[in-house]
Amino acid sequence: MESRVRERLTDIESRIIELVAQGLGNEEIARELYVSRHTVKAHLSVILKKLRASNRTHATYIALKEHLIR
């Protein structure tokens, strides 16, 4: 089975999807990473495209399945 991931996630994208997997919302992620909510949303948009995911839950599932996060 071919991997769904065509482009690798950057360090910040990996960190964001890890925090999503932990159940954090955008505001909490923004505080944790010292960035704006807008920045988190922008990164999530790129993550969804890279992982070909329809939403953040789907992106988390793919990231776990593809061993991008633990």
Side-chain angles (χ1 to χ4, degrees):
M1 183 170 163
E2 184 179 329
S3 174
R4 294 175 60 102
V5 181
R6 297 214 183 257
E7 298 178 60
R8 288 287 161 213
L9 299 179
T10 65
D11 290 343
I12 187 71
E13 291 165 352
S14 294
R15 185 67 180 124
I16 288 173
I17 199 64
E18 286 173 356
L19 294 171
V20 168
Q22 292 175 20
L24 275 65
N26 291 357
E27 184 70 39
E28 296 165 305
I29 293 169
R31 280 195 304 265
E32 177 78 19
L33 300 178
Y34 302 101
V35 297
S36 72
R37 246 182 335 145
H38 176 76
T39 299
V40 172
K41 287 177 73 171
H43 282 299
L44 279 170
S45 179
V46 172
I47 292 166
L48 293 178
K49 286 179 186 170
K50 284 184 177 182
L51 299 182
R52 300 179 189 171
S54 54
N55 56 50
R56 61 197 290 141
T57 302
H58 189 209
T60 301
Y61 168 78
I62 294 167
L64 287 166
K65 182 178 171 196
E66 297 291 334
H67 306 287
L68 302 175
I69 61 173
R70 295 185 220 177

